[in-house]
Amino acid sequence: MLCVIALAVSSTPANASLLYDRLEISMYGRMGAAWDPSSGRYIQGQRMNVTGSAIGGRLEEGDYLEPAIKLHLLAPSTDTSAPYVDFVITPSMYTQNGLFAGALSNNGDPLVIALFQAYMEAGNILLPNLRVWGGARFYRGTDVHIADIFYFNNLSGQGGGVMYGPLDLAIIMQSANSTSGQYNFDVNGDGRIGAGDIRRQRTVFVAQYVHKLEAGHSFHGLAELHLLPAAKVREANGTERGLNADMGWVLGAKAHFDLGNGSFNDMSIRYGSRAASGARGNAQTFFSFGQPNAQGVYDDSAGIQAVDHFLYNFGNVFSLNAYAILHWNQGLQNVSNVPADGTAVSSSMDFGVGARGEYYFTDHLHLIGEVHYNGVKQADTANGDLATALKLTIAPTFVPLGGRTMWARPHFRIFYTAAFYNEAAAIGLVSPYQQAVSDNGRPVKVGHYLGTRVEWWF
């Protein structure tokens, strides 16, 4: 896509003039390298967190590139009430095997290239403040950057929506291509989904409303309804086999407090029921928690996410960004409903609290310090005991474009992280980092991660 646009720009002066004010290119990216000074093992991209996600700090994440292209089909205007029609496409590039992203550094192992966004949006045409969109998009709100999570209303997917002022309505579709689970039924038992087998999709109806208050404060309400239709085949003897209908619902509330000078405090809570119970490790509500009952439905499942996220700027000298995140899930509760395969009652809890302080020596030289504490308690992790990790990080940072703000980029960082695991996490080797450095399954109580990283967005 980038090559096609580059050729169009360079082909003729007329085409170049056409695209000059119609094309926007933005990007998020990170690249780096890592060393373990204690074991010498390869640890690039191996998180030290026990949560199974970046909740607990993201500096160990692997290489990732996400360019985005926006094409204005109508000439852009500085007037926010002017009509617009935009096309957006966002591919992403990363490695699934934990290697370096650069082909010359990984002996040519290929990158994974995925399409995250491809959608059209039009606004202010039929009515002022009326916007419509269709396609696949990042349908989500704010994030906790230092924990790399989009929380509360992350419903990124494929579908369409209508937005009018503070009201936002959408329909999102979700499915999967596995031979088990909620979406497919292997009728002939050949271990794959093909002709004659059953496939279905989840339909998610979403309603959101943002009520703006004085001084930049706001209140955000969220409601979701998830529907999965029955999908069955009738045998020659008249019996039916397949998937029973299921459903789920979500309610959530979020408050935003503007503290001035770029500072803020956001607090949210979200509850999901039945088939909309996803929460574990910041899972989207699409991902029903636990196992279904003997009828194949998630009537006992539930999930809660609670988040507090704030940033406070102490003038132009120091900034403090902190978060507290809790996920709680329950699965199958009625033992009489346990399926024949013996699936046990399930529950889960994971959490993370952390902070990043950034001291601005100059516009170009910053010093970052981070502290994170994260944990997980789940029956199939560390024998069901609470596994925790405490992480401490120091990261001298060069900011070539300057700026005394946490959002100034690009960042050139050198960082060192020490992780301290409790006994359950050490013995259970819960984090990917522990699994990578453990000597023949021996416990890992302390971890060391020395890395370099360049991170950018524009």
Side-chain angles (χ1 to χ4, degrees):
M1 182 68 182
L2 288 171
C3 295
V4 171
I5 291 174
L7 287 172
V9 171
S10 61
S11 58
T12 67
N15 285 341
S17 176
L18 171 67
L19 291 176
Y20 177 75
D21 64 347
R22 299 290 185 96
L23 184 67
E24 293 182 23
I25 298 177
S26 58
M27 187 178 192
Y28 171 80
R30 58 177 184 261
M31 300 282 286
W35 301 266
D36 186 326
S38 60
S39 72
R41 301 287 182 91
Y42 180 85
I43 58 169
Q44 171 79 356
Q46 303 298 321
R47 291 191 180 117
M48 306 178 91
N49 307 328
V50 297
T51 57
S53 69
I55 298 173
R58 66 179 299 177
L59 290 180
E60 312 98 51
E61 287 182 324
D63 299 341
Y64 180 76
L65 303 173
E66 186 185 284
I69 301 163
K70 178 184 286 188
L71 183 63
H72 302 287
L73 302 185
L74 294 178
S77 171
T78 56
D79 182 3
T80 57
S81 64
Y84 70 90
V85 181
D86 294 338
F87 169 72
V88 178
I89 186 167
T90 306
S92 67
M93 289 159 276
Y94 56 93
T95 61
Q96 285 187 315
N97 54 13
L99 295 176
F100 302 110
L104 298 180
S105 295
N106 64 16
N107 287 319
D109 279 3
L111 284 175
V112 175
I113 300 178
L115 184 63
F116 278 172
Q117 296 196 107
Y119 71 93
M120 194 78 73
E121 181 175 322
N124 300 322
I125 295 178
L126 297 177
L127 291 172
N129 296 320
L130 177 65
R131 297 164 288 160
V132 298
W133 67 271
R137 74 175 300 173
F138 289 139
Y139 186 55
R140 62 195 187 188
T142 54
D143 68 323
V144 178
H145 175 71
I146 61 174
D148 195 18
I149 73 160
F150 284 83
Y151 63 99
F152 182 63
N153 62 344
N154 182 8
L155 289 159
S156 299
Q158 189 157 322
V162 177
M163 294 167 276
Y164 184 68
L167 180 63
D168 186 341
L169 304 175
I171 299 177
I172 306 294
M173 304 298 181
Q174 177 77 9
S175 190
N177 194 33
S178 63
T179 56
S180 61
Q182 297 174 283
Y183 299 110
N184 305 308
F185 186 78
D186 186 6
V187 175
N188 56 22
D190 63 355
R192 62 185 182 87
I193 300 300
D197 295 322
I198 297 175
R199 297 195 65 178
R200 68 176 176 179
Q201 66 188 28
R202 175 191 300 248
T203 304
V204 184
F205 299 90
V206 186
Q208 301 184 75
Y209 188 87
V210 178
H211 180 63
K212 295 186 177 180
L213 304 171
E214 296 180 357
H217 310 318
S218 64
F219 177 82
H220 188 158
L222 167 70
E224 304 171 21
L225 175 63
H226 297 226
L227 299 177
L228 293 99
K232 299 184 179 183
V233 294
R234 186 181 296 273
E235 304 286 359
N237 60 6
T239 61
E240 290 185 335
R241 292 196 301 147
L243 302 167
N244 290 321
D246 204 353
M247 58 85 67
W249 54 268
V250 175
L251 290 175
K254 178 183 176 185
H256 171 77
F257 301 98
D258 189 331
L259 306 180
N261 192 32
S263 304
F264 63 84
N265 188 18
D266 290 343
M267 294 183 290
S268 71
I269 188 166
R270 185 190 74 206
Y271 177 84
S273 179
R274 296 176 57 103
S277 54
R280 168 74 174 91
N282 195 45
Q284 293 174 281
T285 52
F286 302 138
F287 298 101
S288 309
F289 180 81
Q291 297 293 327
N293 63 18
Q295 288 73 46
V297 298
Y298 288 80
D299 57 351
D300 282 341
S301 295
I304 293 176
Q305 181 193 68
V307 177
D308 188 6
H309 178 220
F310 82 86
L311 169 67
Y312 196 83
N313 295 308
F314 296 84
N316 64 353
V317 177
F318 181 76
S319 296
L320 179 64
N321 186 201
Y323 67 89
I325 300 167
L326 172 68
H327 297 114
W328 172 86
N329 276 107
Q330 77 167 24
L332 206 58
Q333 295 297 298
N334 187 344
V335 294
S336 65
N337 286 339
V338 175
D341 64 4
T343 303
V345 175
S346 57
S347 65
S348 175
M349 183 274 294
D350 68 89
F351 68 89
V353 292
R356 171 184 289 184
E358 191 161 346
Y359 183 80
Y360 312 119
F361 286 104
T362 71
D363 288 352
H364 299 285
L365 296 176
H366 300 179
L367 181 62
I368 293 174
E370 291 189 5
V371 57
H372 301 269
Y373 182 66
N374 59 96
V376 61
K377 183 175 176 59
Q378 188 167 297
D380 59 355
T381 302
N383 293 320
D385 295 327
L386 177 64
T388 65
L390 173 66
K391 292 168 56 183
L392 305 174
T393 298
I394 188 74
T397 302
F398 170 51
V399 187
L401 296 182
R404 294 174 180 246
T405 168
M406 277 196 163
W407 313 124
R409 293 297 187 277
H411 272 190
F412 289 79
R413 306 186 190 117
I414 298 174
F415 67 94
Y416 168 72
T417 298
F420 305 92
Y421 299 97
N422 74 344
E423 185 175 1
I427 295 173
L429 301 177
V430 178
S431 73
Y433 167 86
Q434 291 172 292
Q435 296 163 21
V437 304
S438 174
D439 182 10
N440 199 27
R442 289 184 174 85
V444 177
K445 298 202 69 172
V446 180
H448 305 274
Y449 198 106
L450 180 63
T452 64
R453 170 70 53 82
V454 56
E455 181 185 50
W456 66 90
W457 56 62
F458 54 80

